[in-house]
Amino acid sequence: MIRWPRGWSYSCAFLAPLVALAQAPEEPSPLPFRERAAVHLVQLDVTLTGPANAVRAVRPEDFVLEVGGRTIERFSVDRLCGPPPEGAPSPGERTPSPPESPPEPRLGPTTYVFYFDQPHLTQAGRAFAVEMARELIPRFVRDGNRGMLVSNGARFETVGPLTENPQSLLDALARMARDLDHWDPFAQGEDARLREILDALREDHHHALNLAHLYYQEELWRTERDLRRFSMFLGTLADLAPPKVVVYFADTLRVNAGEHYLKLFGEAARRQIVASGEESLAATPRPLGAITLLDSVVDEASAHGVRLYTVEAQGLAPALSGEVPTTARVRDAQDTLSGLALETGGRAFLNGVKAERIASAIEEDLRCLYLISFDPAGLPEDQPLPVKLTVRNPKVRAQVRGRVVVQSASRRLTSRLLAAFASPEERTSDVPLHVVVVPAGFDEGRYTALVQVWVPGTAQAAATWDLGISVVAFEHVTDRSVRLSVSRPGIPVVLQGTFTFRAGPYEIVAVAHETRSDLVSSARVEGVWPKPGAQPVHLGPFAALQPSRAAFHDGERTKDQGPLAYPPEEPLRPDRPTALRELVCRGADAPARLRVERELVGASRAPFPGLELELRDEPCALVQDLIPAGTMTPGAFRYHVRVLDGERTLGETEHQFLVVAPQAARATRE
């Protein structure tokens, strides 16, 4: 039931600061938090090409290494070679006498990853990629080498975990090929989307441009999401010994994702749309998110010594009937695949290169590697540094990645945490991990929200938690991480930050790792911020908050108490004040003045006073209901929100939550 205290007056505030709930002091008494750092050497794997005798004669002092424009004076070189190639020596080459030559250090086991980026594979490309992998797996995964099969489809999954058994990977490949959850038809529908725009262009220029803008945003969002997943996955390879190879299958991955739709309209058309007042549609596209994430993939590969061998599996694009343009978008995809390979020291195989040629080229690259190691002290951290490696022998050419990234301790922590999400061994959560999006408002065309990632307090006497979060939204990618220690049981650990979002889809990935007990938890949240005006009224997101004692870190400082956002599955406490937050947005056809009715339903009904909204300057407003401590008794509750124009209901929603006694709440977390 609900107890309404005598003399209590209800209050509702817009954009009220969350800290008002907690009423935290300026200098709270600190809990024992600490962060740690480590130092790592940077390693570059190098392939030398040229006459065999000239390559064999290269010594460490023959290398000249520049990183970030600075000459590296001190570095070590390890020459690691695999089994000698079969067959006779090349013409003009003298075979050295084995008794007189010291044995060469042998190349260790190679890790091969077969990565299927399903949203960017056409139907033909996927079929050819499966056949290629069927030939490459037994060719590569032998003599101690290991392999892994990964699919980014309707869901991200490591279909075949790391193994030395090629048959295990072949069986996993067969399962993936049969499973429709690993097939994404997005790339296959590209021609149909282009034809739809061209058909609309004959009838209604404005409608055609709207379609082009919609499809541009969709492809850009998907590309950002998929590149981020790929970047996270590369972190799982960090602790493996080189060589590390990823054979990456994709047909339509583009750094300028979606621009081929807008290229159907010239600059004159854009200026015409601007003149008509539709500036948002005519704005020049800026796929900063895709560019940033492509760099993130290269940076992760460079930081962890991974070579990417990219494969366009679909073969030569057929000449299409009708007016659907093909050449430019195929060239854009090929340039993107070539750039990924070149920057990581690998190669690109385009237009459906046969598996035999792919295998021979990769084996030749890995026949004899030179591993260069150096201390990165003094080099800038967390930014790509160009690499220039030359050999003092004009007959020998060095094949090396185009950049290197010296990761800071914070970036290494973030990379390791996000990699834990992609790791199949750690997909099962050992403890709950909550991700809650708390609406904060809408201003100048963008939403603002507080995102909290938190682990409930555990029964451990002391705990050290690594928390990581990645927020991917249109044109924005943000990573944060922290290591926090608590010295008492039952203390939640919270990583939070305020983010801005454009209308459109977003994805939040979070990971938590307790270093002492090795508990791991991961979570992913996807959602869509609505385009204002698309519906008469839009409600949400919703959040319920209570002041709590916890370890809160906001990226700059740590405090020991604050407002904690509860997901529906986490019970609230009756002895604490509660804030219920809901974002209300009106559409273009809705009146500027709206009435919002709220009601809290439990053992008995309790309405809140009616609220009048004036939405003239901005289309959205934040509604917050404050419930004093002791108002609710244990039980199930529903928070019902209805938006009206006079007596006409424009929209309504309902949220459910549970209230339990403090002792029961602690028991559920322990």
Side-chain angles (χ1 to χ4, degrees), residues 110-408:
T110 301
T111 298
Y112 291 95
V113 177
F114 303 92
Y115 192 103
F116 288 76
D117 207 345
Q118 308 278 7
H120 305 283
L121 280 169
T122 62
Q123 186 172 357
R126 182 176 189 265
F128 291 150
V130 169
E131 289 303 315
M132 287 182 191
R134 201 169 275 133
E135 295 183 46
L136 294 175
I137 287 172
R139 177 82 172 256
F140 288 156
V141 185
R142 61 179 183 178
D143 302 326
N145 294 337
R146 298 170 297 179
M148 180 187 299
L149 181 64
V150 178
S151 172
N152 173 45
R155 66 176 187 270
F156 184 91
E157 182 179 351
T158 300
V159 184
L162 193 63
T163 180
E164 296 182 15
N165 183 355
Q167 188 57 50
S168 174
L169 292 179
L170 291 173
D171 293 342
L173 181 66
R175 290 196 303 272
M176 184 197 75
R178 294 191 302 265
D179 191 343
L180 294 180
D181 284 346
H182 292 291
W183 162 243
D184 190 318
F186 181 72
Q188 191 63 29
E190 188 171 285
D191 290 343
R193 290 189 290 272
L194 282 165
R195 287 193 178 96
E196 183 182 3
I197 296 171
L198 290 170
D199 290 342
L201 192 56
R202 298 186 184 96
E203 303 291 336
D204 185 340
H205 184 280
H206 183 72
H207 175 57
L209 186 54
N210 269 288
L211 282 175
H213 193 261
L214 174 66
Y215 291 145
Y216 156 71
Q217 288 187 309
E218 181 182 12
E219 183 173 328
L220 179 55
W221 156 247
R222 285 174 173 266
T223 301
E224 290 174 343
R225 179 200 64 186
D226 299 331
L227 284 173
R228 187 59 186 140
R229 290 178 178 178
F230 190 26
S231 176
M232 289 192 317
F233 167 76
L234 291 174
T236 66
L237 309 178
D239 295 332
L240 300 178
K244 293 173 272 190
V245 169
V246 174
V247 182
Y248 174 80
F249 297 103
D251 297 325
T252 63
L253 181 75
R254 304 180 184 94
V255 67
N256 59 341
E259 278 195 16
H260 56 96
Y261 297 114
L262 297 172
K263 287 178 180 178
L264 298 174
F265 306 85
E267 287 301 318
R270 286 200 180 97
R271 286 193 294 269
Q272 181 182 356
I273 296 299
V274 171
S276 69
E278 295 290 340
E279 297 185 6
S280 62
L281 294 181
T284 302
R286 300 190 310 151
L288 299 180
I291 294 174
T292 300
L293 282 165
L294 198 75
D295 284 340
S296 176
V297 168
V298 174
D299 291 348
E300 285 292 316
S302 300
H304 306 312
V306 180
R307 289 191 177 196
L308 303 182
Y309 289 85
T310 56
V311 182
E312 180 196 30
Q314 67 179 342
L316 290 170
L320 298 176
S321 59
E323 303 175 28
V324 178
T326 303
T327 305
R329 55 194 171 108
V330 170
R331 184 175 61 248
D332 290 342
Q334 292 181 343
D335 289 347
T336 300
L337 293 176
S338 297
L340 273 175
L342 181 63
E343 288 290 342
T344 60
R347 302 191 194 187
F349 303 98
L350 309 176
N351 297 319
V353 173
K354 299 297 183 184
E356 172 60 33
R357 182 179 167 188
I358 295 174
S360 298
I362 295 176
E363 287 173 344
E364 184 59 32
D365 282 355
L366 303 181
R367 186 79 66 193
C368 205
L369 287 180
Y370 290 75
L371 195 63
I372 297 179
S373 307
F374 64 93
D375 186 345
L379 291 174
E381 295 182 328
D382 298 331
Q383 65 183 62
L385 305 174
V387 173
K388 182 180 179 182
L389 181 67
T390 57
V391 180
R392 294 191 180 98
N393 186 328
K395 297 181 180 180
V396 178
R397 185 177 69 88
Q399 177 183 329
V400 65
R401 62 188 69 251
R403 69 174 81 169
V404 70
V405 175
V406 181
Q407 289 188 329
S408 64

Side-chain angles (χ1 to χ4, degrees), residues 542-553:
F542 164 81
L545 303 100
Q546 289 189 327
S548 301
R549 180 163 174 79
F552 289 89
H553 187 83

